[in-house]
Amino acid sequence: MPMNRAHRKLCSSEEWAQTTKDRILPWALEGVDLGEDVLEIGPGYGANLRVLVEQVPRLTGVEIDGDTARLLQDTWGERARILHADGAATTLPDTSYDSVVCFTMLHHVPTAAHQDRIFAEAFRVLRPGGTFAGSDSQPGLRFRLLHFRDTMNTLRPDTLPARLTGAGFKNVSVDLHPESGGLRFRATRP
């Protein structure tokens, strides 16, 4: 999904990688058991992937952008399986992952219908009892400025539970961070 130059610079920066490691992932994954086999949808430049690869035995990243997928393969290909594919149509086997995660990427998906297909794909590849977890940003002035001429389709906290339930998930929870206002979600496949 297209990102403007400033946004690409931020997302590929060491500052963002450190923010992800120190703030985003600890909050987004608080209390989540990732299991042995983890799928990250939309790893982008790999800020989350570099943390996850140290925490789980087997990690797969599915990235829609071909150049970025090649960059991830070159950097992490010995420690993670990297696939160039749409997170809504991965071709991965059914019920093959203990958890599926995605962080600060769903707002780059241009339509709610495409986001819903990602939710359905996460459900399909999860094993029964598996967890779908992640986080995303909520709109604010700085966030809107960063997304000038960029895709920005944020998740609504009031409608997300029904959308995840509609994909088949149970035990859905959606929270907003008390300071940043960011959103996190968790859901399980029965």
Side-chain angles (χ1 to χ4, degrees):
M1 306 300 164
M3 290 195 306
N4 65 42
R5 183 176 294 178
H7 200 163
R8 286 191 311 266
K9 184 176 179 180
L10 172 67
C11 290
S12 64
S13 72
E14 283 301 316
E15 176 186 358
W16 179 249
Q18 197 64 46
T19 297
T20 293
K21 179 181 179 183
D22 294 343
R23 293 180 36 213
I24 295 172
L25 291 183
W27 180 70
L29 295 176
E30 180 181 28
V32 173
D33 178 6
L34 294 173
E36 301 281 316
D37 294 300
V38 178
L39 170 63
E40 181 184 7
I41 297 175
Y45 293 102
N48 308 304
L49 191 143
R50 67 168 46 175
V51 175
L52 292 171
V53 79
E54 299 294 335
Q55 295 179 355
V56 299
R58 288 175 297 284
L59 178 63
T60 300
V62 173
E63 174 55 45
I64 194 167
D65 181 75
D67 291 338
T68 307
R70 282 186 288 283
L71 173 72
L72 291 170
Q73 177 63 40
D74 291 346
T75 307
W76 300 103
E78 291 184 19
R79 301 191 58 203
R81 178 180 178 202
I82 307 298
L83 301 175
H84 173 213
D86 184 339
T90 66
T91 71
L92 294 165
D94 291 354
T95 64
S96 53
Y97 289 91
D98 296 318
S99 61
V100 176
V101 296
C102 58
F103 307 100
T104 62
M105 58 70 65
L106 287 164
H107 67 272
H108 290 286
V109 178
T111 67
H114 196 157
Q115 290 171 341
D116 288 344
R117 288 192 303 273
I118 290 171
F119 301 155
E121 184 71 353
F123 183 86
R124 183 186 70 77
V125 301
L126 271 173
R127 293 179 178 126
T131 301
F132 180 39
S135 65
D136 214 326
S137 303
Q138 290 293 283
L141 179 59
R142 184 172 185 251
F143 186 73
R144 290 180 195 278
L145 290 173
L146 180 63
H147 289 79
F148 178 71
R149 296 185 140 178
D150 211 28
T151 302
M152 187 182 83
N153 181 29
T154 55
L155 300 170
R156 289 185 40 198
D158 60 331
T159 61
L160 184 56
R163 292 172 67 192
L164 292 171
T165 301
F169 290 104
K170 301 291 185 205
N171 306 316
V172 175
S173 67
V174 175
D175 302 294
L176 295 178
H177 193 279
E179 295 166 11
S180 72
L183 172 147
R184 76 175 171 190
F185 61 89
R186 290 94 182 280
T188 56
R189 177 176 176 157

